[in-house]
Structure formats: C-alpha cells, structure tokens
Amino acid sequence: MDFNESNLNTKLSRRSFLKTLTLTAAGLIALPGATYGYARYAEPKWLEVTEYTLSFARLPQQMDGIKVVQFSDVHLGFHFDTKDLSELIGLINRIQPDIVCFTGDLVDHTVGPDGDAYARVLSELKPPLGKYAVLGNHDFKEPRQVRSLLKSAAFELLTNKMVRIQHQGSSMVMAGVDDQWKGNPDIDKALARVKPEDFVILLSHCPDFADIAVRYSVDFQLSGHSHGGQVRLPFYGHVMTPKFGRKYVLGHYVLGAGKLQLFVNRGIGVSTHPVRFLCRPELTVFTLRKG
C-alpha cells in the first residue's frame, strides 16, 4: 500500500493528509522511548499467523478441508530483505498449504539487484494446488520486472484472468483482477469462463473492490493494501488508510447478505514509515469447508 491518502471520516486534501501523517509520525516519536522502540523495532517483525475456518455453500464437497495461505504487501527493499523473505517462505512451507495466494505489493519501489535472489526464495513454495498472485500499486513502479520475477518463481499471475483448479475429480476457480488504483481491473474479462455452479476465489489487491465483486459470481475475495492501517490507536482504530482501502480495512467481512466473504490481510511489510503499532504483520491460513 501507499499512504498517500487518508480515511478520517472526512475527506482530506493531500496537504491536510500529509500534515496528519507527519503529526502521527511525530506523535509516535514523542512517545516514551520503550513505546516508540516497540513500534519501530519490535512489532514490525512480530509476525502473527491467524487461522480461520470459513464455510461456503458452493464449495465442492471434494474441496472440503483444503488449506489456503495468503500473504500480502511484502514491500521488499524497504526494511524487508532476502533473509526476511526466506524466513517467511520457510514458515509457509511448514504450514503445508494446498494453495498459496499473494495479493500484491511485492516490492516497495524497485526490484533492484536482489531480484534473482527473491525469485529463488519464492520458487521454494510448492503447494500442490498452485500459487497465485496479483500486482499491487507499488508493483506498478516496475510492473514488467515484478511480473517477470513472479513468473520466474512459478507464480500464476492473474491479471484479469482465471484458472481452474482441479482436485479429486472436482474443480474451483481462482481469478484475479488488476490493481484498482494503478492498473485496469476488468472483472468481466477475469470471470468470462466461469460457470454458474463454480466456486470462485478472487484476488484483488485493493479490498474496496469487493463492492464491485459482490455483483458477480464470486464467493471469496482476498485482499491486502491497507496494512490494517499500520498504526492503530486504542479506542480509535486505524489512523489512516489508502485510496481503495478505506471501507474494508482488516479482517473478515460478509457482503451481500452472505453472498461474498472478504478477507483483508494486514500485510507483511511496512510502507512510508517503518513502524507498526497495535497492528502486527499477518500471515493468514484459511481452512475452507463445505457449509
């Protein structure tokens, strides 16, 4: 994500937003040394693995119990390096998911000289039912290089497209749309070959795309982008979130009277300021059940 706009219930101008961001950062710095040290050095590295069991009426019986891991917003190159990535991938492999989904912002600015090393580490993920990705707004600073990196690591890049996942004589659809902020999302194109009975997971970097997805044959949307606000204050919640991450900020949502379930991952890395406060980085593990 990119903290270039805010969500403070009132629409702020860019100048007002930057002033708010500066004051927030200054406020964190002004906290007692131990508190700021925690926000700067401890919490950004204190990964939380969250586990959810979610039920879906349209999930094929043969898919009951499959395990999906989602990670998002790594922001490689900004306080997250190859060693950190290797530790993350090792953890995912120990979880032994059936499917791995990455929901954008692989890099913070550029791929840089470590691109080959990133690809080698990501290629160590070998879930039996595949690994799938979409780009985030930060990836559009070098979209060609990020696409190449993900493809080198054997990710299926779902830019306005879908693939059919076969399992035990049944199938489900994994689809993805281009980034809502910097790209050109086309959900009609992404779902063009979906059958009425298909169970569909949609990857969208921006969570607010769910207000569009709910009008389509989509059962489960996975998103990132917001970092959960990255800084959350007691009794207040997130201080600011980015464009297209304002309405759905973190966690599990149900839309359309149960038609669509959405999950917004808090992300792995940090952006703009290398701090997290009451908003730990997150790796999410979903067990999908026939409901």
Side-chain angles (χ1 to χ4, degrees):
M1 69 171 278
D2 192 346
F3 287 103
N4 286 332
E5 302 205 31
S6 73
N7 180 25
L8 301 176
N9 298 321
T10 57
K11 186 176 181 181
L12 300 180
S13 68
R14 178 176 174 82
R15 179 178 297 177
S16 297
F17 171 79
L18 292 174
K19 181 179 179 181
T20 302
L21 180 59
T22 300
L23 290 173
T24 301
L28 281 173
I29 293 170
L31 290 171
T35 304
Y36 176 72
Y38 166 79
R40 170 65 179 84
Y41 298 105
E43 188 166 308
K45 298 295 185 181
W46 188 16
L47 180 66
E48 181 177 10
V49 179
T50 56
E51 299 185 359
Y52 291 81
T53 299
L54 301 179
S55 296
F56 298 90
R58 294 180 355 127
L59 184 73
Q61 188 63 51
Q62 297 91 329
M63 299 283 184
D64 182 71
I66 67 168
K67 187 184 296 183
V68 179
V69 163
Q70 179 197 10
F71 71 109
S72 194
D73 297 86
V74 177
H75 290 271
L76 284 163
F78 185 70
H79 300 274
F80 202 87
D81 59 20
T82 306
K83 179 177 179 293
D84 298 318
L85 181 64
S86 182
E87 291 175 356
L88 172 67
I89 298 309
L91 173 59
I92 295 174
N93 280 334
R94 290 193 294 276
I95 294 170
Q96 298 183 315
D98 299 296
I99 295 170
V100 171
C101 296
F102 174 67
T103 45
D105 279 0
L106 181 65
V107 300
D108 190 68
H109 187 64
T110 63
V111 171
D114 295 322
D116 289 343
Y118 298 155
R120 282 195 300 272
V121 173
L122 289 167
S123 68
E124 295 172 4
L125 285 171
K126 300 183 188 298
L129 298 183
K131 51 188 182 182
Y132 308 92
V134 291
L135 298 188
N137 53 292
H138 274 255
D139 297 321
F140 275 82
K141 296 174 181 178
E142 282 191 349
R144 182 178 62 81
Q145 291 89 333
V146 176
R147 290 188 188 104
S148 177
L149 194 166
L150 287 167
K151 289 179 180 179
S152 295
F155 272 81
E156 182 77 46
L157 186 59
L158 299 176
T159 303
N160 298 328
K161 65 180 289 189
M162 57 161 275
V163 295
R164 188 169 294 278
I165 299 173
Q166 305 286 343
H167 182 59
Q168 296 184 353
S170 186
S171 70
M172 59 180 280
V173 168
M174 183 70 69
V177 289
D178 207 1
D179 179 61
Q180 192 174 9
W181 191 346
K182 299 293 184 179
N184 183 29
D186 187 340
I187 192 169
D188 290 295
K189 181 179 180 182
L191 303 179
R193 294 182 292 111
V194 168
K195 301 174 184 177
E197 68 272 17
D198 282 335
F199 175 78
V200 178
I201 298 177
L202 178 72
L203 306 185
S204 168
H205 179 63
C206 293
D208 290 357
F209 192 80
D211 284 340
I212 297 172
V214 73
R215 304 198 298 264
Y216 289 79
S217 182
V218 176
D219 300 273
F220 190 23
Q221 177 179 316
L222 295 177
S223 298
H225 184 50
S226 69
H227 291 215
Q230 198 165 294
V231 172
R232 300 180 67 83
L233 302 180
F235 312 110
Y236 186 84
H238 60 276
V239 177
M240 58 194 73
T241 55
K243 184 178 181 180
F244 300 122
R246 295 172 170 171
K247 187 173 182 180
Y248 307 109
V249 178
L250 81 169
H252 182 240
Y253 299 86
V254 178
L255 287 73
K259 178 183 177 298
L260 172 66
Q261 296 189 52
L262 163 69
F263 192 86
V264 186
N265 181 280
R266 297 192 302 264
I268 297 292
V270 291
S271 179
T272 305
H273 291 287
V275 295
R276 278 185 178 269
F277 190 69
L278 302 181
C279 192
R280 290 166 58 187
E282 178 178 35
L283 180 70
T284 318
V285 183
F286 302 100
T287 300
L288 307 187
R289 304 310 304 241
K290 172 75 173 176

